[in-house]
Amino acid sequence: MTRIDSTFARLQAEGRKAFVAYIMAGDPDIETSLAVMKGLPSAGVDVIELGLPFTDPMADGPTIQLAGQRALEGGMTLDKTLQMVRDFRAGDNDTPIVLMGYYNPIYSRGVDTFLAQANEAGIDGLIIVDLPPEEDDELCIPAQKAGLNFIRLATPTTDDRRLPKVLQNTSGFVYYVSITGITGAAAAEATDVGPEVARIKAKTDLPVIVGFGIRTPEASQAIASVADGCVVGSAIVGELASGKPVEEVLSFVSGLAGGAHSA
């Protein structure tokens, strides 16, 4: 079992929903993003999604695109992202870390080399948004053989014909994208999300976590109430972008986590 598997098994046994937080590695700078990352578990975060900055983030809205630009302009690299994970692991060996990004930096590094380095650093899972199931031999299968979860996205356009293909090699959890379009673009509605989560859960035993369009503790609670948990990214990244101190950002995260955990 990975840390992801263990965390969801524990939450299920406790009858609690998961709260997943996304931050961009190196935004607004390495020191600040590492400080936020280290503070996330105490703020109630069950799983950390760490964004790997990339020059062409096609699935991301302006908030996360700009975060990636800031990180890259500040000198953030794949190696420095892995070092950030090592620095986090020096004080926390329990909280799962999912690296979220695009395939190009991994392909450039070489899959086998990357997977060995990710394992050594302490990464537990991958979300690579531009690798469809048809390309599973490229990274998904090697990652699972290396002991990392490969988490797949399902969307409102993933119909019943497509869903089995999306689920076939997924592990850890299923990330349900609550809206069509890019990150941060609209608000998620529990009345829309609930039936879709039920449809997915009828086809898999994996937890279903909902992301995109969640910005408040109330929304966090509402979405978590119809799923196994929720993800917040753009709203947290926006707090960092506004220049707020680490403590205020973590207080904001704590409110969101409290919403999910009260569902």
Coordinates of all heavy atoms in Angstrom, one line a residue, residues 125-183:
G125 N 2.3 9.4 -5.8 CA 1.4 9.3 -6.9 C 1.7 10.3 -8.0 O 2.3 11.4 -7.7
L126 N 1.1 10.1 -9.2 CA 1.2 11.1 -10.3 C -0.1 11.4 -10.9 O -1.0 10.5 -11.0 CB 2.1 10.5 -11.4 CG 3.6 10.0 -11.0 CD1 4.2 9.3 -12.2 CD2 4.4 11.2 -10.6
I127 N -0.3 12.6 -11.2 CA -1.4 13.0 -12.1 C -0.8 13.8 -13.3 O -0.3 14.8 -13.1 CB -2.4 14.0 -11.4 CG1 -3.0 13.3 -10.2 CG2 -3.5 14.4 -12.3 CD1 -4.0 14.2 -9.3
I128 N -0.8 13.1 -14.4 CA -0.2 13.7 -15.6 C -1.4 13.9 -16.6 O -1.9 13.0 -17.2 CB 0.8 12.7 -16.2 CG1 1.9 12.4 -15.1 CG2 1.5 13.4 -17.4 CD1 2.6 13.6 -14.5
V129 N -1.8 15.2 -16.7 CA -3.1 15.5 -17.4 C -3.1 15.3 -18.9 O -4.2 15.2 -19.5 CB -3.5 16.9 -17.0 CG1 -3.7 17.0 -15.5 CG2 -2.5 17.9 -17.5
D130 N -1.9 15.2 -19.5 CA -1.9 15.1 -21.0 C -1.5 13.7 -21.5 O -1.2 13.6 -22.6 CB -1.0 16.2 -21.6 CG 0.4 16.2 -21.0 OD1 0.7 15.5 -20.0 OD2 1.3 16.8 -21.6
L131 N -1.6 12.7 -20.6 CA -1.4 11.3 -21.0 C -2.7 10.6 -20.9 O -3.1 10.2 -19.8 CB -0.4 10.7 -20.1 CG 1.1 10.9 -20.5 CD1 2.0 10.1 -19.6 CD2 1.4 10.4 -22.0
P132 N -3.4 10.3 -22.0 CA -4.7 9.6 -22.0 C -4.4 8.1 -21.7 O -3.3 7.6 -21.8 CB -5.3 9.8 -23.4 CG -4.1 10.0 -24.2 CD -3.0 10.7 -23.4
P133 N -5.5 7.3 -21.4 CA -5.3 5.9 -21.2 C -4.7 5.1 -22.3 O -4.0 4.1 -22.1 CB -6.7 5.4 -21.0 CG -7.5 6.6 -20.5 CD -6.9 7.8 -21.2
E134 N -4.8 5.6 -23.6 CA -4.2 5.0 -24.7 C -2.7 5.0 -24.6 O -2.0 4.2 -25.3 CB -4.7 5.7 -26.0 CG -6.1 5.4 -26.4 CD -7.2 6.1 -25.5 OE1 -6.8 7.1 -24.8 OE2 -8.3 5.7 -25.6
E135 N -2.1 5.8 -23.8 CA -0.7 5.9 -23.6 C -0.2 5.3 -22.3 O 0.9 5.7 -21.8 CB -0.3 7.4 -23.7 CG -0.7 8.2 -24.9 CD -0.1 7.6 -26.2 OE1 0.9 7.0 -26.2 OE2 -0.8 7.8 -27.3
D136 N -1.0 4.4 -21.8 CA -0.6 3.8 -20.4 C 0.7 3.2 -20.4 O 1.4 3.2 -19.4 CB -1.7 2.8 -20.0 CG -2.9 3.5 -19.3 OD1 -2.8 4.7 -19.1 OD2 -3.8 2.8 -18.9
D137 N 1.2 2.6 -21.5 CA 2.5 2.0 -21.5 C 3.6 3.0 -21.4 O 4.7 2.6 -21.0 CB 2.7 1.2 -22.8 CG 1.8 -0.1 -22.9 OD1 1.4 -0.5 -21.8 OD2 1.6 -0.6 -24.0
E138 N 3.3 4.2 -21.7 CA 4.3 5.3 -21.7 C 4.8 5.6 -20.2 O 6.0 5.7 -20.0 CB 3.7 6.6 -22.3 CG 4.7 7.6 -22.7 CD 5.4 7.3 -24.0 OE1 4.9 6.5 -24.8 OE2 6.5 7.8 -24.2
L139 N 3.9 5.7 -19.3 CA 4.2 6.1 -17.9 C 3.4 5.4 -16.9 O 3.9 5.0 -15.8 CB 4.1 7.6 -17.8 CG 4.4 8.2 -16.4 CD1 5.9 7.9 -16.0 CD2 4.1 9.7 -16.3
C140 N 2.1 5.3 -17.1 CA 1.2 4.7 -16.1 C 1.6 3.3 -15.7 O 1.8 3.1 -14.4 CB -0.3 4.7 -16.7 SG -1.5 3.8 -15.6
I141 N 1.8 2.4 -16.6 CA 2.2 1.1 -16.2 C 3.5 1.0 -15.5 O 3.7 0.4 -14.4 CB 2.1 0.1 -17.4 CG1 0.8 0.1 -18.1 CG2 2.6 -1.3 -17.0 CD1 -0.4 -0.3 -17.2
P142 N 4.6 1.7 -16.1 CA 5.9 1.7 -15.4 C 5.8 2.4 -14.0 O 6.4 1.9 -13.0 CB 6.7 2.6 -16.3 CG 6.1 2.4 -17.6 CD 4.7 2.3 -17.4
A143 N 5.0 3.4 -13.8 CA 4.8 4.0 -12.5 C 4.2 3.1 -11.5 O 4.7 3.0 -10.4 CB 3.9 5.3 -12.6
Q144 N 3.2 2.4 -11.9 CA 2.6 1.4 -11.0 C 3.5 0.3 -10.6 O 3.6 -0.1 -9.4 CB 1.3 0.9 -11.6 CG 0.4 2.0 -12.1 CD -1.0 2.0 -11.5 OE1 -1.2 1.9 -10.3 NE2 -2.0 2.1 -12.4
K145 N 4.3 -0.2 -11.6 CA 5.3 -1.2 -11.3 C 6.4 -0.7 -10.3 O 6.9 -1.5 -9.5 CB 6.0 -1.7 -12.6 CG 5.0 -2.6 -13.4 CD 5.7 -3.0 -14.7 CE 4.8 -3.9 -15.5 NZ 5.5 -4.3 -16.8
A146 N 6.6 0.6 -10.4 CA 7.6 1.2 -9.5 C 7.0 1.6 -8.1 O 7.7 2.0 -7.2 CB 8.1 2.5 -10.1
G147 N 5.7 1.3 -7.9 CA 5.1 1.5 -6.6 C 4.4 2.8 -6.4 O 4.1 3.2 -5.3
L148 N 4.2 3.6 -7.5 CA 3.5 4.9 -7.4 C 2.1 4.7 -7.9 O 1.9 4.0 -8.9 CB 4.2 5.9 -8.3 CG 5.4 6.7 -7.6 CD1 6.6 5.8 -7.5 CD2 5.8 7.9 -8.5
N149 N 1.2 5.4 -7.3 CA -0.2 5.4 -7.8 C -0.2 6.3 -9.1 O 0.5 7.3 -9.1 CB -1.2 6.0 -6.8 CG -1.4 5.0 -5.6 OD1 -1.2 5.4 -4.5 ND2 -1.8 3.8 -5.9
F150 N -1.0 5.9 -10.0 CA -1.3 6.8 -11.2 C -2.7 7.1 -11.2 O -3.6 6.3 -11.3 CB -0.9 6.0 -12.5 CG -0.7 6.9 -13.7 CD1 0.5 7.5 -13.9 CD2 -1.8 7.2 -14.5 CE1 0.7 8.4 -15.0 CE2 -1.6 8.1 -15.6 CZ -0.4 8.7 -15.8
I151 N -3.0 8.4 -11.0 CA -4.4 8.9 -10.7 C -4.9 9.5 -12.0 O -4.2 10.4 -12.6 CB -4.3 9.9 -9.6 CG1 -3.9 9.2 -8.3 CG2 -5.7 10.6 -9.4 CD1 -3.0 10.0 -7.4
R152 N -6.1 9.1 -12.4 CA -6.6 9.5 -13.6 C -7.8 10.5 -13.4 O -8.5 10.5 -12.4 CB -7.2 8.3 -14.3 CG -7.7 8.6 -15.8 CD -6.6 8.5 -16.7 NE -6.0 7.2 -16.9 CZ -4.8 6.9 -17.4 NH1 -4.1 7.9 -17.9 NH2 -4.4 5.7 -17.6
L153 N -7.9 11.4 -14.4 CA -9.0 12.4 -14.3 C -10.2 11.9 -15.1 O -10.1 11.3 -16.2 CB -8.6 13.7 -15.0 CG -7.3 14.4 -14.4 CD1 -7.1 15.7 -15.2 CD2 -7.5 14.7 -12.9
A154 N -11.4 12.0 -14.5 CA -12.7 11.8 -15.2 C -13.4 13.2 -15.2 O -13.2 14.0 -14.3 CB -13.5 10.8 -14.5
T155 N -14.1 13.4 -16.2 CA -14.8 14.7 -16.4 C -16.3 14.5 -16.7 O -16.7 13.4 -17.0 CB -14.1 15.5 -17.6 OG1 -14.6 14.9 -18.8 CG2 -12.6 15.4 -17.5
P156 N -17.0 15.6 -16.8 CA -18.4 15.5 -17.2 C -18.6 15.0 -18.6 O -19.7 14.5 -18.9 CB -18.9 17.0 -17.1 CG -18.0 17.7 -16.1 CD -16.7 17.0 -16.3
T157 N -17.6 15.0 -19.4 CA -17.7 14.4 -20.8 C -17.2 13.0 -20.8 O -17.3 12.4 -21.9 CB -16.9 15.3 -21.8 OG1 -15.6 15.3 -21.4 CG2 -17.5 16.7 -21.8
T158 N -16.8 12.4 -19.7 CA -16.4 11.0 -19.7 C -17.7 10.1 -19.6 O -18.2 9.9 -18.5 CB -15.5 10.7 -18.5 OG1 -14.4 11.6 -18.5 CG2 -15.0 9.3 -18.6
D159 N -18.2 9.7 -20.8 CA -19.4 8.9 -20.8 C -19.3 7.5 -20.4 O -18.1 7.0 -20.1 CB -20.1 9.1 -22.1 CG -19.3 8.5 -23.3 OD1 -18.4 7.7 -23.1 OD2 -19.6 8.9 -24.4
D160 N -20.3 6.7 -20.4 CA -20.3 5.3 -19.9 C -19.5 4.5 -20.8 O -19.0 3.4 -20.4 CB -21.7 4.8 -19.8 CG -22.5 5.4 -18.6 OD1 -21.8 5.8 -17.7 OD2 -23.7 5.4 -18.6
R161 N -19.3 4.8 -22.1 CA -18.4 4.1 -23.0 C -17.0 4.3 -22.7 O -16.1 3.4 -22.7 CB -18.7 4.4 -24.4 CG -20.1 3.9 -24.9 CD -20.3 4.3 -26.4 NE -19.2 3.8 -27.2 CZ -19.1 4.2 -28.5 NH1 -19.8 5.2 -29.0 NH2 -18.1 3.7 -29.3
R162 N -16.6 5.5 -22.3 CA -15.3 5.9 -22.1 C -14.8 5.6 -20.6 O -13.6 5.3 -20.4 CB -15.1 7.4 -22.3 CG -13.7 8.0 -22.1 CD -12.8 7.5 -23.1 NE -11.4 8.1 -23.0 CZ -10.4 7.7 -23.6 NH1 -10.4 6.6 -24.4 NH2 -9.2 8.3 -23.5
L163 N -15.7 5.6 -19.7 CA -15.3 5.5 -18.3 C -14.5 4.2 -18.0 O -13.5 4.3 -17.3 CB -16.6 5.5 -17.4 CG -16.3 5.5 -15.9 CD1 -15.5 6.7 -15.5 CD2 -17.7 5.5 -15.1
P164 N -14.9 3.0 -18.5 CA -14.1 1.8 -18.2 C -12.6 2.0 -18.6 O -11.7 1.5 -17.9 CB -14.8 0.7 -18.9 CG -16.2 1.2 -19.0 CD -16.1 2.6 -19.2
K165 N -12.4 2.6 -19.7 CA -11.0 2.8 -20.2 C -10.2 3.7 -19.3 O -9.1 3.5 -19.0 CB -11.1 3.4 -21.6 CG -9.7 3.6 -22.3 CD -9.3 2.2 -22.8 CE -8.0 2.4 -23.7 NZ -7.5 1.1 -24.1
V166 N -10.9 4.8 -18.8 CA -10.3 5.7 -17.9 C -9.9 5.0 -16.6 O -8.9 5.3 -16.0 CB -11.2 6.9 -17.6 CG1 -10.7 7.8 -16.4 CG2 -11.4 7.8 -18.9
L167 N -10.8 4.1 -16.1 CA -10.6 3.5 -14.8 C -9.6 2.3 -14.8 O -9.1 1.9 -13.8 CB -11.9 3.0 -14.3 CG -13.0 4.1 -13.9 CD1 -14.3 3.4 -13.5 CD2 -12.5 5.0 -12.8
Q168 N -9.3 1.7 -16.0 CA -8.7 0.4 -16.0 C -7.4 0.3 -15.3 O -7.1 -0.7 -14.7 CB -8.6 -0.1 -17.5 CG -7.6 0.6 -18.4 CD -7.6 0.0 -19.8 OE1 -8.3 -0.9 -20.1 NE2 -6.7 0.6 -20.6
N169 N -6.5 1.3 -15.4 CA -5.2 1.2 -14.8 C -5.0 2.3 -13.7 O -3.9 2.6 -13.3 CB -4.1 1.3 -15.8 CG -4.0 0.1 -16.7 OD1 -4.1 -1.0 -16.2 ND2 -3.9 0.3 -18.0
T170 N -6.1 2.9 -13.3 CA -6.1 4.0 -12.3 C -5.9 3.4 -10.9 O -6.4 2.3 -10.6 CB -7.4 4.8 -12.3 OG1 -7.5 5.4 -13.6 CG2 -7.4 5.9 -11.3
S171 N -5.2 4.1 -10.1 CA -5.0 3.6 -8.7 C -4.9 4.8 -7.8 O -4.7 5.9 -8.2 CB -3.8 2.7 -8.5 OG -2.6 3.5 -8.7
G172 N -5.0 4.6 -6.5 CA -5.0 5.7 -5.5 C -6.3 6.3 -5.3 O -7.0 6.1 -4.2
F173 N -6.8 7.1 -6.2 CA -8.1 7.6 -6.3 C -8.5 8.1 -7.7 O -7.6 8.2 -8.5 CB -8.3 8.8 -5.2 CG -7.4 10.0 -5.4 CD1 -7.8 11.1 -6.2 CD2 -6.2 10.0 -4.8 CE1 -7.0 12.2 -6.3 CE2 -5.4 11.2 -4.9 CZ -5.8 12.2 -5.7
V174 N -9.7 8.4 -7.9 CA -10.1 9.0 -9.2 C -10.4 10.5 -8.9 O -11.1 10.8 -7.9 CB -11.4 8.3 -9.7 CG1 -11.9 9.0 -11.0 CG2 -11.2 6.8 -9.9
Y175 N -9.8 11.3 -9.7 CA -10.0 12.7 -9.6 C -11.1 13.1 -10.6 O -11.0 13.1 -11.8 CB -8.7 13.4 -10.0 CG -8.6 14.9 -9.8 CD1 -7.5 15.5 -9.2 CD2 -9.7 15.8 -10.1 CE1 -7.4 16.9 -9.0 CE2 -9.6 17.1 -10.0 CZ -8.5 17.7 -9.4 OH -8.4 19.0 -9.2
Y176 N -12.3 13.5 -10.0 CA -13.4 13.9 -10.9 C -13.3 15.4 -11.1 O -13.4 16.2 -10.1 CB -14.8 13.5 -10.3 CG -15.9 14.0 -11.2 CD1 -16.1 13.4 -12.5 CD2 -16.7 15.0 -10.8 CE1 -17.1 13.9 -13.3 CE2 -17.8 15.5 -11.6 CZ -17.9 14.9 -12.9 OH -18.9 15.4 -13.7
V177 N -13.2 15.9 -12.3 CA -13.2 17.3 -12.6 C -14.6 17.8 -12.7 O -15.4 17.3 -13.6 CB -12.5 17.5 -14.0 CG1 -12.5 19.0 -14.4 CG2 -11.0 17.0 -13.9
S178 N -15.1 18.6 -11.8 CA -16.5 18.9 -11.7 C -17.1 19.8 -12.8 O -18.3 19.9 -12.9 CB -16.7 19.7 -10.3 OG -16.0 20.9 -10.3
I179 N -16.2 20.5 -13.5 CA -16.7 21.4 -14.6 C -16.0 21.1 -15.9 O -14.8 20.6 -15.9 CB -16.6 22.8 -14.2 CG1 -15.1 23.1 -13.8 CG2 -17.5 23.2 -13.0 CD1 -14.8 24.6 -13.6
T180 N -16.6 21.5 -17.0 CA -15.8 21.4 -18.3 C -15.0 22.7 -18.4 O -15.4 23.8 -17.9 CB -16.8 21.3 -19.5 OG1 -17.7 22.4 -19.4 CG2 -17.5 20.0 -19.5
G181 N -13.8 22.6 -19.0 CA -13.0 23.7 -19.1 C -11.7 23.7 -18.3 O -11.3 22.6 -17.8
I182 N -11.2 24.8 -18.0 CA -9.9 25.0 -17.3 C -10.1 25.2 -15.8 O -11.2 25.4 -15.3 CB -9.1 26.1 -17.9 CG1 -9.9 27.4 -17.8 CG2 -8.6 25.8 -19.3 CD1 -9.2 28.7 -18.3
T183 N -9.0 25.0 -15.1 CA -9.0 25.2 -13.6 C -9.5 26.6 -13.3 O -9.1 27.6 -14.0 CB -7.6 25.0 -13.0 OG1 -6.7 25.8 -13.6 CG2 -7.2 23.5 -13.2

